[in-house]
Amino acid sequence: MSYIDKTLTFNSDKIYFYNSDLEIEQQVMMDWEDSLMSASAVYVCQNEGDILEIGFGMGISAGYIQSHSISSHTIIENHPDIIPKAQEWAANKPNVTIVTGSWYDVKDNLSTYDGLFYDTYGDNDMQYFSSSLSSLVKPGGLATWWNSMTSETNYYNIPNVTYTQIDVNPPQNSYFNNTTYYLPQCQL
């Protein structure tokens, strides 16, 4: 069963599902990421304009993106348990568009953006992220993404990436347990 088919549980501090194969709670997102979501929003919103966010999660980054002077904010979400939460969150925000489905399946129907933030979980199309950037981000636009690597490792092989180190103190979890986060930054 893939992530998209899992039933998610929403607590105030995390989203998770029960992994019956491993018999553990598998966290998808947690509120300790707040400072990382803020830093990601600051980076991708520097040019203001139109912002694409791939993955809504807990909506932490979406809130930070909305705090900037931007023209539009397009959010793509594919998990059926998260989509209604994203739609409810966006209901009174006229510059927000929620697109449902896989980002890769809808990418050819999208515009180009001044900033892009990519933070998904269990994405079966992540191997196409790097090759899709130039069709999603305007020349001079900025992109960042969730980086689960514990160093300046360019997992996606994207050229001209720099990193900003951010000190974090995550509780024990199933996806990131380092005390330094390397925020990737790329201008296209």
Side-chain angles (χ1 to χ4, degrees):
M1 181 183 298
S2 72
Y3 160 71
I4 204 79
D5 299 317
K6 301 283 186 186
T7 299
L8 300 180
T9 300
F10 296 84
N11 289 355
S12 62
D13 64 340
K14 63 186 168 187
I15 300 172
Y16 69 94
F17 62 90
Y18 183 73
N19 185 326
S20 56
D21 294 335
L22 300 176
E23 298 183 356
I24 61 166
E25 177 184 290
Q26 193 90 30
Q27 295 88 18
V28 173
M29 185 172 190
M30 299 176 75
D31 65 354
W32 71 265
E33 298 176 42
D34 188 274
S35 65
L36 306 179
M37 300 297 108
S38 175
S40 297
V42 166
Y43 181 70
V44 300
C45 293
Q46 285 180 49
N47 295 339
E48 300 177 342
D50 304 309
I51 307 300
L52 175 61
E53 181 175 11
I54 301 174
F56 181 76
M58 294 174 73
I60 299 170
S61 54
Y64 283 118
I65 288 169
Q66 281 294 295
S67 74
H68 293 271
S69 296
I70 59 170
S71 301
S72 73
H73 183 185
T74 301
I75 302 170
I76 304 172
E77 179 56 56
N78 68 344
H79 198 286
D81 293 345
I82 297 177
I83 289 169
K85 294 182 179 301
Q87 291 169 329
E88 180 182 346
W89 176 88
N92 64 348
K93 297 171 180 70
N95 70 336
V96 175
T97 301
I98 302 295
V99 178
T100 61
S102 159
W103 71 270
Y104 189 74
D105 292 344
V106 303
K107 71 178 178 53
D108 295 334
N109 299 320
L110 299 172
S111 183
T112 54
Y113 300 87
D114 299 291
L116 180 150
F117 179 43
Y118 173 82
D119 184 4
T120 63
Y121 184 93
D123 183 2
N124 294 329
D125 298 312
M126 65 188 283
Q127 69 269 24
Y128 304 116
F129 176 63
S130 177
S131 63
S132 299
L133 274 176
S134 63
S135 67
L136 295 172
V137 182
K138 296 173 185 174
L142 304 172
T144 189
W145 50 92
W146 172 260
N147 179 22
S148 59
M149 301 295 136
T150 56
S151 66
E152 293 183 2
T153 301
N154 191 338
Y155 177 81
Y156 294 108
N157 296 314
I158 298 169
N160 305 316
V161 176
T162 60
Y163 295 86
T164 297
Q165 293 184 28
I166 301 172
D167 292 332
V168 293
N169 188 22
Q172 186 65 35
N173 64 77
S174 58
Y175 64 94
F176 190 88
N177 290 290
N178 199 30
T179 56
T180 303
Y181 178 81
Y182 294 85
L183 177 71
Q185 299 170 322
C186 178
Q187 182 173 18
L188 282 85

